[in-house]
Amino acid sequence: MDGKQKTLIEANTDISASGRKTRSIMPTFTRFSLYLILGLFCVYYLLPLYVMVVNSFKPLPEITSGGMVALPIDWTISAWQSAWSEAQIGVEATGLKPYFINSLLMAIPAVTITTLLGAVNGYVLTKWTFPGATLIFGLILFGCFIPFQAILIPMASVLGRMGIAGTLPGIIFVHVVYGISFSTLYFRNYYASFPTELVRAAQIDGASFFTIFWRIMLPSSGPIAVVCIIWLFTNIWNDFLFGASFSDFDSQPMTVALNNLVQTSTGVKEYNVHFAGAILAALPTLIVYIVAGRYFVRGLMSGSVKG
Amino acid sequence: MKNRNHIGVLDRLQFQLPKIVLSPSVAIIVIFVYGFILYTSYLSFTGSKMLPNFNWVGLQNYITLFRSRTWDTSVTNLAIFSVLYIGICCFIGLMLAILLDQKIRNEGFIRITYLYPMALSFIVTGVAWKWILDPGIGLEAVLQGWGWESFSFRWIKERDMAIYTIVIAAVWQTSGFVMATFLAGLRGIDNEMLRAAQLDGASTFAYYRRIVIPQLRPAFMSAFVVLAHMAIKSYDLVIALTGGGPGNATSMPATFMYSYTFTRNQMGIGAASAVMMLMTVAAIIVPYLWSELREKK
């Protein structure tokens, strides 16, 4: 399994910690243009965020008169109020608030369950290997990459038969099912470099399977658990396809509600409300990213992507 | 005697415990990934409309699919999108990674700036770019407002150009991630090589082309695999940015599958399109996983 580890984990090296290793063989006089190019790309990546923030504080006429890039003349938070609690999304004018809560109620249990399952799976697959374990890991891994279109139809009818179609538990279930592959990948690769001798020694001392897991493996899993949680949270919070396919009006996640808000074709397009809503939808993952950005970087690189 | 037997059962249970613990996950994957794939494949050979049914129609759905103009558009769009998206992301990612690897001050800040779009949902990205690219209030209106009256940028409204606006937004979202992948690859290269190259008097360009880039092959591989399967699955961004329009000019296999299955009541054809998507992804992923898992032994 070293091969997998190399490509997916080699990237796992904390790139910020290795700043010392940077090389520079460029002559100093080119450094100005170097900073210029890097700066221009900063502008490119920041521009949409700037546009969103600035326009969410403007009254509508300021945007429609062609001032999208300008700072607001009349600062107002009315678009935020509207997006949060007044905008018409479903049948009633509830704003995005109930959907924001749905997303939280969906993401928190889904992330918790998936992370625990991944930890146990990773533990078994590295410390209690058996013939065919690599094959099983490969089978699980493929689940990271399948296009979800290939499972949408049967999933819809199975959720119906289980009686959880259109409910939050139904969506949580779907996210757990398709999150297992990722959490298992993370923990498997992380535990692979955990000294097996320690586990064997504990075993000889009479520690049971679960004792070893709770007392030895879990306490040393902090870094990978953080990576896994951030990764799953981002993906589940940002999911649109499952939310659009498997939720009813009262279980819709934030992304689906935001899309409904923006695509509504009746009436005046309230761009300022759309921008405020987009920031609200982005806020939880942005906060997580800013607070734990270093881990997020690692997470992005150590386990590919659930598109 | 009885006692010993009892211990034997417990021991055996203890011995089997790891497999028992693993089995729910394996069962879930077997049913909800592989079983579902089989079920969808089976449906693609049936005349399912609004609900699944089991009238075997052979290859009929695939024939209809390949004769469909919308599918044709979707596949062409996917090809254009994938080539540009993967190509541009890799180019920008590699370039930024090399530039950022030159002992840059504030590297941490710049890296966070390049990467944060990855934390956003494609729906948010779509909403932001939808209005930035909208001729009525976005770039066009802004530049005209600044006095460049003749400036015109209405790709998002043009049938032939709308697909490129999806490339713009998608590149914005993921090129930072590709940069991070390459940066990690660069940091893994031994500094000794640099010193050796400098002693040999190699130019910067030659150093990167001959020594560095060839060593980034694993980083290229992971970036390619990730980007390719994201491109094939891309759904959210299209829905948020153009809704597949104008007309169905930005239709992609993922949006095609969804609309045939859930809004046009042609589940059999929808299933057939899903199978085509799955096979495309599998053609890239299976060899990749195979080589990665095999190298170990």
Side-chain angles (χ1 to χ4, degrees):
Chain A
M1 185 46 53
D2 289 337
K4 166 114 255 138
Q5 250 146 264
K6 237 187 208 145
T7 19
L8 295 181
I9 284 204
E10 139 197 69
N12 214 346
T13 359
D14 188 359
I15 51 178
S16 62
S18 45
R20 260 165 276 119
K21 274 207 209 163
T22 39
R23 66 217 85 220
S24 179
I25 59 173
M26 288 197 171
T28 26
F29 64 83
T30 57
R31 292 192 77 76
F32 174 72
S33 44
L34 189 67
Y35 278 100
L36 189 70
I37 296 172
L38 290 173
L40 284 176
F41 270 92
C42 281
V43 172
Y44 164 66
Y45 287 113
L46 285 174
L47 188 70
L49 185 67
Y50 168 81
V51 166
M52 281 198 279
V53 172
V54 158
N55 288 290
S56 69
F57 288 108
K58 280 180 198 168
L60 195 53
E62 278 190 40
I63 305 178
T64 42
S65 62
M68 193 185 239
V69 192
L71 285 170
I73 301 164
D74 271 340
W75 287 81
T76 167
I77 57 161
S78 70
W80 285 81
Q81 282 168 338
S82 171
W84 179 246
S85 55
E86 291 153 23
Q88 178 98 24
I89 291 161
V91 193
E92 285 169 61
T94 57
L96 289 164
K97 187 176 155 193
Y99 306 98
F100 189 90
I101 295 169
N102 279 347
S103 275
L104 279 182
L105 290 178
M106 167 187 85
I108 293 170
V111 168
T112 313
I113 301 169
T114 314
T115 306
L116 281 175
L117 280 173
V120 172
N121 292 347
Y123 169 51
V124 171
L125 286 170
T126 50
K127 302 301 169 223
W128 300 85
T129 47
F130 46 89
T134 306
L135 179 70
I136 286 186
F137 179 57
L139 286 176
I140 295 177
L141 211 51
F142 184 62
C144 294
F145 296 100
I146 54 159
F148 294 126
Q149 282 75 18
I151 51 90
L152 279 185
I153 302 172
M155 187 50 109
S157 60
V158 164
L159 288 178
R161 256 175 242 170
M162 288 166 69
I164 50 173
T167 67
L168 276 177
I171 302 188
I172 293 170
F173 177 76
V174 176
H175 281 301
V176 169
V177 165
Y178 297 104
I180 289 178
S181 295
F182 282 96
S183 58
T184 304
L185 166 69
Y186 283 124
F187 281 97
R188 208 223 73 105
N189 283 354
Y190 183 75
Y191 287 155
S193 51
F194 186 91
T196 308
E197 302 79 50
L198 253 163
V199 174
R200 294 286 162 261
Q203 228 184 322
I204 291 164
D205 288 346
S208 74
F209 175 81
F210 281 113
T211 315
I212 298 174
F213 181 65
W214 290 115
R215 296 275 179 78
I216 301 178
M217 302 306 282
L218 269 193
S220 63
S221 307
I224 198 64
V226 172
V227 169
C228 184
I229 289 169
I230 292 172
W231 177 257
L232 290 171
F233 179 78
T234 314
N235 274 296
I236 294 172
W237 183 276
N238 287 343
D239 160 73
F240 176 75
L241 183 62
F242 289 152
S245 311
F246 304 131
S247 66
D248 282 343
F249 278 120
D250 50 3
S251 59
Q252 266 171 2
M254 188 70 176
T255 46
V256 178
L258 174 65
N259 189 52
N260 290 346
L261 172 72
V262 174
Q263 307 294 347
T264 326
S265 46
T266 50
V268 190
K269 291 224 175 294
E270 297 189 289
Y271 304 109
N272 48 358
V273 178
H274 299 177
F275 284 124
I279 299 174
L280 284 172
L283 217 49
T285 49
L286 265 184
I287 290 173
V288 165
Y289 174 70
I290 289 165
V291 171
R294 260 162 47 91
Y295 295 104
F296 190 77
V297 173
R298 287 194 207 168
L300 281 176
M301 290 185 287
S302 62
S304 56
V305 173
K306 183 191 193 178
Chain B
M1 186 70 172
K2 212 180 190 179
N3 203 13
R4 204 198 293 162
N5 224 341
H6 184 65
I7 290 168
V9 170
L10 268 186
D11 274 351
R12 230 171 298 151
L13 194 69
Q14 183 73 27
F15 184 68
Q16 294 296 333
L17 200 54
K19 285 184 209 167
I20 295 169
V21 167
L22 187 64
S23 52
S25 299
V26 174
I28 282 175
I29 296 291
V30 167
I31 297 168
F32 290 91
V33 173
Y34 296 94
F36 278 15
I37 286 173
L38 284 180
Y39 186 84
T40 304
S41 314
Y42 181 74
L43 282 185
S44 72
F45 295 104
T46 67
S48 301
K49 297 287 184 214
M50 197 172 111
L51 293 168
N53 70 44
F54 304 104
N55 304 329
W56 188 264
V57 296
L59 288 171
Q60 193 53 54
N61 289 325
Y62 288 91
I63 294 167
T64 316
L65 184 68
F66 289 130
R67 285 195 183 141
S68 152
R69 272 186 140 188
T70 318
W71 178 252
D72 214 47
T73 313
S74 306
V75 172
T76 314
N77 279 341
L78 178 61
I80 297 174
F81 176 75
S82 311
V83 169
L84 290 175
Y85 171 61
I86 298 173
I88 297 173
C89 274
C90 283
F91 175 76
I92 292 182
L94 181 62
M95 184 185 76
L96 291 180
I98 291 177
L99 294 184
L100 207 52
D101 196 31
Q102 310 297 327
K103 291 190 173 140
I104 293 299
R105 238 175 288 164
N106 296 323
E107 189 202 308
F109 169 78
I110 297 177
R111 223 175 43 218
I112 284 181
T113 307
Y114 289 178
L115 255 169
Y116 88 89
M118 195 69 190
L120 306 185
S121 128
F122 272 119
I123 297 293
V124 171
T125 304
V127 170
W129 282 97
K130 181 190 179 75
W131 298 139
I132 293 173
L133 297 170
D134 188 281
I137 61 159
L139 268 183
E140 183 178 298
V142 168
L143 286 175
Q144 286 177 353
W146 285 352
W148 187 354
E149 308 268 325
S150 61
F151 182 81
S152 164
F153 187 74
R154 34 186 68 238
W155 282 9
I156 200 163
K157 302 279 184 201
E158 290 169 9
R159 296 190 69 92
D160 296 340
M161 303 308 282
I163 186 71
Y164 299 104
T165 61
I166 297 179
V167 177
I168 295 176
V171 165
W172 178 80
Q173 170 126 7
T174 29
S175 47
F177 157 72
V178 181
M179 182 279 300
T181 310
F182 284 139
L183 192 57
L186 285 176
R187 297 281 155 87
I189 295 172
D190 200 350
N191 252 354
E192 292 303 311
M193 296 254 199
L194 169 65
R195 249 164 258 138
Q198 275 173 325
L199 285 180
D200 287 351
S203 71
T204 309
F205 183 74
Y207 167 67
Y208 276 98
R209 198 174 62 96
R210 299 256 180 82
I211 300 173
V212 175
I213 293 176
Q215 287 196 67
L216 287 177
R217 219 186 75 100
F220 265 112
M221 275 304 291
S222 8
F224 174 78
V225 166
V226 167
L227 293 174
H229 104 280
M230 279 179 80
I232 296 164
K233 286 158 74 168
S234 54
Y235 174 77
D236 317 11
L237 186 61
V238 182
I239 293 297
L241 195 62
T242 64
N248 53 30
T250 51
S251 170
M252 294 263 238
T255 61
F256 178 98
M257 185 277 168
Y258 197 89
S259 76
Y260 268 70
T261 308
F262 296 109
T263 56
R264 299 178 64 163
N265 296 331
Q266 294 281 350
M267 192 177 279
I269 297 172
S273 66
V275 170
M276 296 309 298
M277 290 175 66
L278 178 72
M279 295 200 322
T280 317
V281 171
I284 298 166
I285 299 299
V286 171
Y288 175 73
L289 289 184
W290 184 264
S291 67
E292 295 256 313
L293 291 174
R294 212 186 32 157
E295 267 173 48
K296 154 204 191 189
K297 280 169 192 162

